[in-house]
Amino acid sequence: MPAAEHPSAMTSGGPRRPIPVALSTSSVYPLGVAEGFAIAADLGYDGMEVMVTHRAETQSPQVLNELVRRFELPLTAVHAPTLLLTQQVWGSAWEKLRRSARLAVDVGCDTVVAHPPFRWQTGYAERFAEGIAELEASTGVRFAVENMYPWRAGTREATMYLPHWDPVAQPYPHVTWDFSHAATAESDSAAACRALGSRLRHVHLTDGWSNGFKDDHLVPGRGEQPVAETLELIAAEDFGDGGFDGVVAVEVATRTARGVGERERMLAESLEFARRHLGRRATTG
């Protein structure tokens, strides 16, 4: 989808369109991408975010574009394979970002979500912000760097990310905010998003507990983060410079779902929560 047709874009001379609510393919794991599209279409989501993994379907623009066509759901973001579990996908750190940008262009979206570098990724970590700026200039794709969290063992805290796990004070022009990561870091999401303002490009809608070490990815409203308050903040017309023009993507863990339809109920609840607090009438049943 060209940038001018992005579902969050301003209409010509008219009011801002509602903030789209997408579903991350990670929310249906261990099911595949096609199942994610089918569930999102059935529940009334506005689009999809694809997490690039070892699965070939997540890396193929042909497969993804066919799913976009079949289910009439645009891809709103590509999540680069920058997790510990995807370190073997697409080679070097910079190659992961370059290929993610190419995939984004090929499937018609303008946003790549990336984690900050691990501290052992020498060279990459030292010039990460500069390299991100160069990639944005050469590809036209926005790289929204995601907030992470410190790794703790008892009272000890390990530095795992450089230059820092918190992107608020870093010079990234675009940021993804994840509520579960914020809970693990014991951060205030409302304060962070207010500070980010127009730099906030993408949101991972989830929740969590301030337990210091576990990344829960709960259904929003089931943890202790100020999720509702933060969604209402970014939905305000005066948020940032003219309002939030990104996408809210539901990224919750449903691996614990038991019984017929439990995963779908969790994702329907997440969508209803998003629309209620973004000021939209829910379309789920």
Side-chain angles (χ1 to χ4, degrees):
M1 177 180 296
E5 298 177 9
H6 193 276
S8 65
M10 292 286 288
T11 56
S12 178
R16 180 173 295 276
R17 296 179 183 177
I19 296 171
V21 183
L23 179 65
S24 169
T25 57
S26 65
S27 294
V28 302
Y29 180 84
L31 301 181
V33 175
E35 290 86 350
F37 268 85
I39 291 170
D42 286 345
L43 295 179
Y45 277 81
D46 301 312
M48 295 293 296
E49 174 182 333
V50 63
M51 171 81 76
V52 176
T53 68
H54 299 82
R55 293 184 174 184
E57 61 186 349
T58 68
Q59 305 175 24
S60 170
Q62 292 79 18
V63 170
L64 295 174
N65 280 326
E66 172 57 25
L67 291 171
V68 167
R69 184 199 63 78
R70 186 194 314 171
F71 291 101
E72 299 183 336
L73 286 174
L75 273 167
T76 60
V78 169
H79 196 310
T82 50
L83 290 72
L84 271 177
L85 295 176
T86 56
Q87 287 299 291
Q88 303 306 312
V89 178
W90 285 356
S92 71
W94 287 119
E95 184 64 12
K96 293 175 188 294
L97 298 188
R98 284 191 289 267
R99 292 187 65 169
S100 295
R102 288 199 294 270
L103 180 61
V105 170
D106 288 344
V107 299
C109 74
D110 63 359
T111 301
V112 167
V113 176
H115 288 186
F118 294 108
R119 62 177 174 81
W120 58 80
Q121 293 177 303
T122 55
Y124 174 66
E126 283 79 359
R127 64 179 309 272
F128 181 66
E130 178 186 351
I132 286 289
E134 292 171 358
L135 280 171
E136 289 197 348
S138 64
T139 65
V141 173
R142 298 179 177 95
F143 284 81
V145 181
E146 188 169 358
N147 64 306
M148 295 304 293
Y149 45 84
W151 290 21
R152 300 184 179 101
T155 59
R156 300 181 62 185
E157 184 173 301
T159 302
M160 298 301 295
Y161 300 99
L162 291 177
H164 203 272
W165 52 263
D166 186 352
V168 175
Q170 303 304 315
Y172 311 131
H174 307 289
V175 169
T176 294
W177 192 259
D178 183 298
F179 289 98
S180 181
H181 296 172
T184 305
E186 300 180 343
S187 300
D188 183 333
S189 288
C193 289
R194 188 177 293 109
L196 285 168
S198 60
R199 295 170 57 211
L200 182 66
R201 175 64 190 170
H202 197 71
V203 172
H204 279 163
L205 179 57
T206 180
D207 208 338
W209 293 99
S210 301
N211 49 40
F213 63 94
K214 187 179 180 183
D215 185 16
D216 296 300
H217 280 272
L218 303 176
V219 169
R222 297 188 185 182
E224 62 181 4
Q225 276 287 299
V227 184
E229 175 189 346
T230 306
L231 292 185
E232 291 164 8
L233 169 72
I234 69 173
E237 291 185 4
D238 60 353
F239 178 79
D241 297 327
F244 177 69
D245 66 349
V247 173
V248 171
V250 169
E251 190 182 79
V252 300
T254 62
R255 294 186 299 275
T256 60
R258 298 290 184 269
V260 176
E262 177 60 20
R263 174 180 284 107
E264 289 76 7
R265 283 191 288 274
M266 294 170 73
L267 298 178
E269 180 181 336
S270 300
L271 177 61
E272 190 279 332
F273 184 100
R275 292 203 169 136
R276 173 159 33 98
H277 293 290
L278 290 171
R280 297 174 58 184
R281 200 178 82 170
T283 61
T284 54

